[in-house]
Amino acid sequence: MYLAAQPGSLQLTQQGQLKHFLTTEGLPKTLLTRILDHTESFLGVENKKVKNAPLLRGKTVMTLFFEDSTRTRTTFELAAQHLSANVMNLNVKHSATSKGESLLDMLHNLEAMSVDMFIVRHPESGAAHFVAQQVKAGVSVINAGDGRHAHPTQALLDMFTIRKTKGAFEPLTIAIVGDIQHSRVARSQIHALNTLGTGEVRVIGPKTLIPHALSQFNVKLYHNLSRGLKDVDVIILLRLQKERMSSDLLPSKHEFYQTYGLTAEKLKLAKPDAIVMHPGPINRGVEIASDVADSDQSVILQQVRYGLATRMAILSMTINTQDKQLFSEEARTS
Amino acid sequence: MTSYHTTKPEHIDLETAIADMTKQLSDYLTQRQFKPSLLVGIQTGGVWLAERLAVTLNPHSPIGSLNISFYRDDFTQKGLHPTVEPSQLPFSIENKHVVLVDDVIMSGRTIRAALNELFDYGRPSSVTLAVLIDLKANELPIKPDFVGLNLNLKPGQRVKLKGPKPLALEFNEPII
């Protein structure tokens, strides 16, 4: 599918505000930092008796998931509801696309129902960009994961978790471990970590699961877990997707655990206060030992909690720029 | 209008104004049997003023602070404001008497937003509004119960509270 030459350009207004949120690639540091700052504010919403803020009141948000997801879809749905939006979930597998309606036709039909924002997950890389190019002005598109390309809201909630627990990015050494080849999360994380000025980004995994092109992204490659984990501040594990295990890229689940699984013993190689992250859902005994997942160093559940606030921040930042555009167009015509 | 200022800037005595306001507020809260009251300031100037009022009114209770940016009615035009601190109410306001405090009241829109947010935290028994400076430019049916100073500014002129210690007024242009 088509990807814009400048991947960041489609998602920004002329004033540099987010109008879609499709990828972390090409987004300036100031904007990423602003998302993290707003996330901090939205964390406070959960202390209220009424856990809502009225920012998206009267707006209609539709989740459009062409691929299974529990956590991402529910946190997006909750985030939109906490912002007082009207939320609809479309399970595309059970919709008209199975009757042969094209994605484009479906999109235009949904637009006719006055949807203000689409949250899109799709197995093909570039799908969210495609949707963003097709929607009419004033409609925002959020990428909730497209193929192997990007999962920017996950990356931002991870950045928030790191900043919340570790502070500044500059002094940190951060290791991403596992199947990088098929991971949209890893790609989005690497762009964000580099933009935010992380001291050192390491990527650890078997040769078959690390793309060659990665070396141009200012990361250090390791194929040995023990060496790669030495003195790191943050360990980000990736989920080993079951469909990869049956392929010839990996010998076996057991062998992956032996070589790249994070055990308590391996964790000791990192700094004593290192944190362990995972986008979930975790495979205990595959990429992470059960006791590590439940240890004090694990921030996996904090990630889920922060994910809600991060998505509230991103939703309210994007929907608003669309309004402003409309506003200025109206102003010009009146 | 002949006089721009109900109180002339050169005559502003902030400390006396705060002291007078505190006394009136305290008497009122006693008379209405609204004591003890919880003080909630609107960020950032309102929080500083609430801290000052608390010394007399409720020295043993923490101060609540509201960041009303999620409740502003100009969100669709101006977007999210650069964030200050998130709201923090370190107590339950349910069935409590609340004194809402801000530094300056102009249109009343900030207070409208603050009341909406406050009620998302619970149902207070009462809310009393105390504001240091009233610019008498209300656009909504909201008027402060207690005011330190009434000022009448020229168009385009702005005033805000500087602090936290000492508290002082800052005008966006020199006042002659």
Side-chain angles (χ1 to χ4, degrees), chain A residues 1-3 10 20-22 62-66 92 102-108 110-111 115-122 124-137 139-146 322:
Chain A
M1 268 192 179
Y2 174 77
L3 286 176
L10 181 60
H20 305 294
F21 192 58
L22 307 171
M62 176 171 276
T63 65
L64 210 53
F65 275 55
F66 297 84
V92 184
S102 81
L103 171 60
L104 212 53
D105 284 338
M106 185 177 75
L107 205 63
H108 293 320
L110 295 172
E111 268 183 355
V115 174
D116 298 288
M117 177 182 275
F118 290 106
I119 297 168
V120 182
R121 168 167 286 195
H122 199 284
E124 268 192 80
S125 299
H129 281 79
F130 175 74
V131 175
Q133 282 161 343
Q134 301 302 326
V135 292
K136 60 186 179 193
V139 177
S140 295
V141 177
I142 309 281
N143 186 1
D146 62 328
Q322 298 287 7

Side-chain angles (χ1 to χ4, degrees), chain B residues 57-154:
Chain B
L57 294 175
N58 198 353
H60 303 300
S61 171
I63 302 290
S65 93
L66 285 183
N67 171 2
I68 55 114
S69 54
F70 298 157
Y71 291 79
R72 297 184 65 98
D73 59 8
D74 57 4
F75 167 68
T76 50
Q77 290 136 55
K78 293 190 176 164
L80 280 177
H81 277 236
T83 46
V84 204
E85 291 287 304
S87 295
Q88 275 191 323
L89 294 192
F91 38 63
S92 165
I93 59 164
E94 194 72 30
N95 296 323
K96 298 281 168 50
H97 297 289
V98 171
V99 178
L100 183 61
V101 184
D102 204 1
D103 51 358
V104 179
I105 185 169
M106 201 162 99
S107 64
R109 289 173 194 272
T110 299
I111 304 302
R112 196 282 307 167
L115 285 171
N116 279 21
E117 172 155 26
L118 201 59
F119 277 71
D120 277 355
Y121 282 91
R123 182 183 183 275
S125 292
S126 70
V127 180
T128 304
L129 178 60
V131 177
L132 183 57
I133 295 157
D134 188 349
L135 297 180
K136 297 282 179 197
N138 54 310
E139 295 166 2
L140 299 177
I142 291 175
K143 290 187 177 60
D145 297 305
F146 293 92
V147 175
L149 295 163
N150 288 301
L151 290 185
N152 204 340
L153 298 184
K154 285 182 279 189

Side-chain angles (χ1 to χ4, degrees), chain A residues 103-257:
Chain A
L103 171 60
L104 212 53
D105 284 338
M106 185 177 75
L107 205 63
H108 293 320
N109 273 282
L110 295 172
E111 268 183 355
M113 301 176 201
S114 303
V115 174
D116 298 288
M117 177 182 275
F118 290 106
I119 297 168
V120 182
R121 168 167 286 195
H122 199 284
E124 268 192 80
S125 299
H129 281 79
F130 175 74
V131 175
Q133 282 161 343
Q134 301 302 326
V135 292
K136 60 186 179 193
V139 177
S140 295
V141 177
I142 309 281
N143 186 1
D146 62 328
R148 300 178 187 183
H149 173 241
H151 192 354
T153 59
Q154 175 71 44
L156 261 292
L157 78 89
D158 294 333
M159 298 307 113
F160 183 78
T161 308
I162 294 168
R163 194 177 82 166
K164 191 88 178 148
T165 39
K166 291 286 170 194
F169 287 87
E170 286 77 6
L172 300 180
T173 302
I174 297 178
I176 305 174
V177 187
D179 177 2
I180 315 293
Q181 176 76 35
H182 301 98
S183 176
R184 53 194 174 209
V185 175
R187 275 174 188 70
S188 290
Q189 285 169 339
I190 290 167
H191 289 303
L193 286 170
N194 280 330
T195 305
L196 290 167
T198 309
E200 186 177 319
V201 181
R202 298 180 187 177
V203 161
I204 310 171
K207 281 189 179 134
T208 49
L209 295 179
I210 293 187
H212 262 302
L214 212 58
S215 43
Q216 65 189 354
F217 285 118
N218 192 24
V219 296
K220 288 194 176 173
L221 304 183
Y222 288 85
H223 301 299
N224 178 298
L225 181 62
S226 302
R227 247 176 267 152
L229 288 183
K230 191 159 172 30
D231 297 329
V232 300
D233 300 279
V234 176
I235 305 167
I236 303 175
L237 302 172
L238 299 171
R239 187 167 69 93
L240 193 68
Q241 294 174 24
K242 291 201 177 71
E243 54 272 28
R244 316 290 174 221
M245 295 174 201
S246 53
S247 74
D248 54 2
L249 296 173
L250 271 180
S252 74
K253 210 159 77 168
H254 181 69
E255 196 174 325
F256 183 87
Y257 182 64

